[in-house]
Amino acid sequence: MSGNKTLIMIKPTAVRKAYIGPIMGKIAEGGFKIKAMKYTCLSIEQAKAFYAVHSERPFFGELTEFMSSGPIVAAILEKDNAVEEWRNFIGATNPAEAAEGTIRKLYGTSLGENAVHGSDSDENAEIEGNFFFSATERY
Ligand code: ATP
Ligand code: MG
């Protein structure tokens, strides 16, 4: 069976637009339990490390500059089949293509500024969770 945890972020634009509250409401509505959460800011070096998998992509510079442009919220969420459930819940990468009612449709503004992140596999959920949280920061 697939794992029950995923690492999510509320990205800088969504934080700037005061969408933390509405997105937290959607998280509760979707039946995701919060295991860990923090309000923080990625340095450019940390953003490059987090997105290292995309380092060869043409949008890597834009992505890492954006993700280090202001505060974010990072959280570990728990639910059965969490990675897939969260990705379905937030919608397509491009908000313009995201289904009605999804977080990216509601709160995303462009392909780059798409409101939230979600891990893409159980393995990466573990790696990304460890990037932000120590064992004593999880409840
Ligand atoms: P995330 O990893 O943020 O949850 P995702 O898994 O849906 O999103 P990825 O392919 O992992 O999408 O891309 C990571 C992020 O890079 C996207 O969320 C998006 O903000 C940005 N991105 C992806 N493709 C492009 C592109 N062609 N131009 C600009 N930014 C892009
Ligand atoms: Mg991804």
Side-chain angles (χ1 to χ4, degrees):
M1 177 184 151
S2 293
N4 63 355
K5 289 188 186 62
T6 191
L7 184 284
I8 74 123
M9 290 184 281
I10 302 177
K11 298 186 179 185
T13 312
V15 170
R16 270 196 289 276
K17 291 187 164 186
Y19 290 153
I20 294 176
I23 292 172
M24 294 312 298
K26 295 294 285 182
I27 287 171
E29 226 175 79
F32 296 90
K33 184 177 174 212
I34 297 160
K35 296 296 290 179
M37 184 163 70
K38 65 174 62 162
Y39 183 67
T40 185
C41 207
L42 292 173
S43 66
I44 185 75
E45 292 76 18
Q46 286 172 317
K48 284 179 179 170
F50 185 89
Y51 283 108
V53 63
H54 292 313
S55 61
E56 302 304 319
R57 309 278 285 272
F59 57 83
F60 184 66
E62 184 188 327
L63 172 63
T64 52
E65 272 168 38
F66 167 59
M67 288 304 296
S68 59
S69 68
I72 60 158
V73 173
I76 297 173
L77 301 185
E78 184 177 76
K79 188 177 185 178
D80 287 349
N81 201 19
V83 166
E84 196 185 338
E85 285 283 311
W86 176 254
R87 292 182 72 84
N88 290 338
F89 195 62
I90 65 180
T93 305
N94 188 344
E97 290 161 15
E100 289 300 326
T102 59
I103 291 178
R104 282 173 167 167
K105 182 71 172 185
L106 288 166
Y107 305 115
T109 43
S110 66
L111 175 57
E113 304 187 15
N114 56 2
V116 287
H117 165 80
S119 304
D120 61 10
S121 65
D122 291 343
E123 190 193 1
N124 284 335
E126 173 83 16
I127 293 167
E128 293 175 2
N130 292 337
F131 182 92
F132 282 105
F133 300 102
S134 68
T136 55
E137 291 175 305
R138 304 169 193 221
Y139 306 98

